[in-house]
Amino acid sequence: MDGRSAATRVDGDDDELLPLRRLEISDHAKGFLDLLSQLSPSSTPLSDGDFRARFADLDALGDDHLIVVSEDRVSGRIVATGCVFVERKFLRGAGKVGHIEDVVVDASARGRHLGQRVVRYLTDYAKAAGCYKVILDCSIELRSFYEKCGFKEKDIQMALYF
Amino acid sequence: MDGRSAATRVDGDDDELLPLRRLEISDHAKGFLDLLSQLSPSSTPLSDGDFRARFADLDALGDDHLIVVSEDRVSGRIVATGCVFVERKFLRGAGKVGHIEDVVVDASARGRHLGQRVVRYLTDYAKAAGCYKVILDCSIELRSFYEKCGFKEKDIQMALYF
């Protein structure tokens, strides 16, 4: 025994087996959009040109936009992702707010705390960027997951679809 | 009688008395931040330099960020505001989502449908920008107001304060 719990060992191994890093253009070929389609079935495939165009749009936002992914070192596939964008406000002394969006873990990789690692990565990023808070919208079913990540329920989300 | 209801007449008059337009740098001197402080009491005053710097940050986002204000033509004060930023996603065929934030009407100007006009302006803007939906977070107390604006409750908001 090395004194670490089984859970710690798994997380530690996954830091190496499922490392987190920024999205790269080559992730289009590694199933990044297939992964997103698990979040929204109405996701449509993008051509490589459209993918590159959107990548460039977001890259132009610099530090105000981050997409993190986890690439499975064995399969070479993207198995988790999430993003945060930093909103600059006039409120709170020209404060900043981190908005977390589009967090998803591949069905094959669940139960390994990968979602929590993604959310922690995004939250740490927002904090380091000077945000005074980070917020996100989720279904009631995901409340306990985000509570484990340190979040508290605060408001309701209203939506209008065109 | 000209066939218009009293409510319509009031709205029509307010289109002229309380017109909506984009935020301008000179609105700092017209009470824009005093108005925001009604939304968040912890708002701190900004120096003119800090105001200009944040204005430039947001202006650099071009069509992806809009702050609308209403200037009372009689008092010359800003009495309503709201903003929308357009998030560009990979989801939904590289779709766009409008996020409405920081909607507030001055206490002296309430009851004149100004809030609804602000929200409609932002919603129309998001739609014209190609968003497939517009979303916002609000307290339970504001649900019926946003329902009048065409929104439906969808999810919960989770927050983590640093």
Side-chain angles (χ1 to χ4, degrees):
Chain A
M1 286 293 290
D2 60 4
R4 294 185 299 169
S5 71
T8 307
R9 246 191 331 268
V10 169
D11 279 2
D13 290 349
D14 278 354
D15 284 342
E16 290 179 17
L17 290 171
L18 298 168
L20 299 178
R21 60 165 170 77
R22 270 179 184 265
L23 179 75
E24 296 167 1
I25 282 187
S26 57
D27 293 329
H28 190 201
K30 294 178 181 174
F32 173 66
L33 293 179
D34 294 340
L35 176 63
L36 280 185
S37 72
Q38 294 182 41
L39 193 60
S40 171
S42 54
S43 265
T44 48
L46 290 184
S47 70
D48 203 53
D50 288 342
F51 185 90
R52 284 171 180 272
R54 177 58 88 235
F55 188 94
D57 288 339
L58 296 171
D59 198 47
L61 299 174
D63 293 341
D64 283 354
H65 196 278
L66 170 82
I67 300 178
V68 66
V69 296
S70 175
E71 177 179 343
D72 184 325
R73 285 218 165 142
V74 177
S75 69
R77 301 285 289 176
I78 304 299
V79 293
T81 187
C83 86
V84 63
F85 57 87
V86 174
E87 178 203 0
R88 291 163 186 258
K89 288 184 177 284
F90 280 103
L91 274 175
R92 296 214 181 214
K96 296 180 188 172
V97 172
H99 294 253
I100 290 180
E101 292 275 338
D102 303 342
V103 174
V104 59
V105 175
D106 187 77
S108 71
R110 291 179 193 162
R112 294 167 71 175
H113 300 152
L114 191 46
Q116 282 188 52
R117 283 178 56 220
V118 166
V119 173
R120 196 185 315 133
Y121 190 102
L122 299 171
T123 302
D124 288 349
Y125 184 87
K127 188 174 181 181
C131 294
Y132 67 87
K133 69 175 178 181
V134 63
I135 59 175
L136 58 88
D137 298 306
C138 68
S139 62
I140 280 278
E141 291 73 27
L142 285 171
R143 180 171 52 192
S144 63
F145 166 74
Y146 283 110
E147 283 173 345
K148 280 182 204 155
C149 298
F151 286 72
K152 289 189 178 160
E153 185 174 348
K154 179 147 187 288
D155 276 325
I156 58 172
Q157 185 210 32
M158 305 292 291
L160 189 163
Y161 282 77
F162 299 126
Chain B
M1 286 292 290
D2 61 1
R4 293 186 300 168
S5 72
T8 307
R9 251 192 325 270
V10 168
D11 279 3
D13 291 348
D14 278 354
D15 283 345
E16 290 180 17
L17 290 172
L18 298 167
L20 299 178
R21 60 164 172 79
R22 270 181 184 264
L23 179 75
E24 297 168 1
I25 282 188
S26 57
D27 294 329
H28 189 200
K30 293 178 181 174
F32 173 66
L33 294 179
D34 294 338
L35 176 64
L36 280 185
S37 72
Q38 294 181 41
L39 192 61
S40 171
S42 53
S43 265
T44 47
L46 290 184
S47 71
D48 202 54
D50 288 342
F51 185 89
R52 284 170 179 272
R54 178 57 89 235
F55 188 95
D57 288 339
L58 296 171
D59 198 47
L61 298 174
D63 292 342
D64 282 354
H65 196 277
L66 170 82
I67 301 177
V68 66
V69 296
S70 176
E71 177 180 341
D72 184 324
R73 286 219 166 143
V74 177
S75 69
R77 302 285 291 178
I78 304 300
V79 293
T81 187
C83 85
V84 63
F85 57 88
V86 174
E87 178 202 0
R88 290 163 186 259
K89 288 184 175 286
F90 280 102
L91 274 175
R92 296 216 180 209
K96 297 180 189 173
V97 172
H99 294 253
I100 289 181
E101 292 275 338
D102 303 342
V103 174
V104 59
V105 175
D106 186 77
S108 71
R110 290 179 195 162
R112 295 167 70 176
H113 301 152
L114 191 46
Q116 280 188 54
R117 284 178 57 221
V118 165
V119 173
R120 195 185 316 131
Y121 190 102
L122 299 170
T123 303
D124 288 349
Y125 183 88
K127 188 174 181 181
C131 295
Y132 66 88
K133 70 175 177 180
V134 63
I135 60 174
L136 58 88
D137 298 306
C138 68
S139 61
I140 281 278
E141 291 73 28
L142 285 171
R143 181 171 52 193
S144 64
F145 167 74
Y146 282 110
E147 283 173 345
K148 280 183 204 154
C149 298
F151 287 71
K152 288 187 179 163
E153 185 174 347
K154 181 148 185 288
D155 277 324
I156 57 172
Q157 185 209 33
M158 305 292 291
L160 190 164
Y161 282 77
F162 299 127

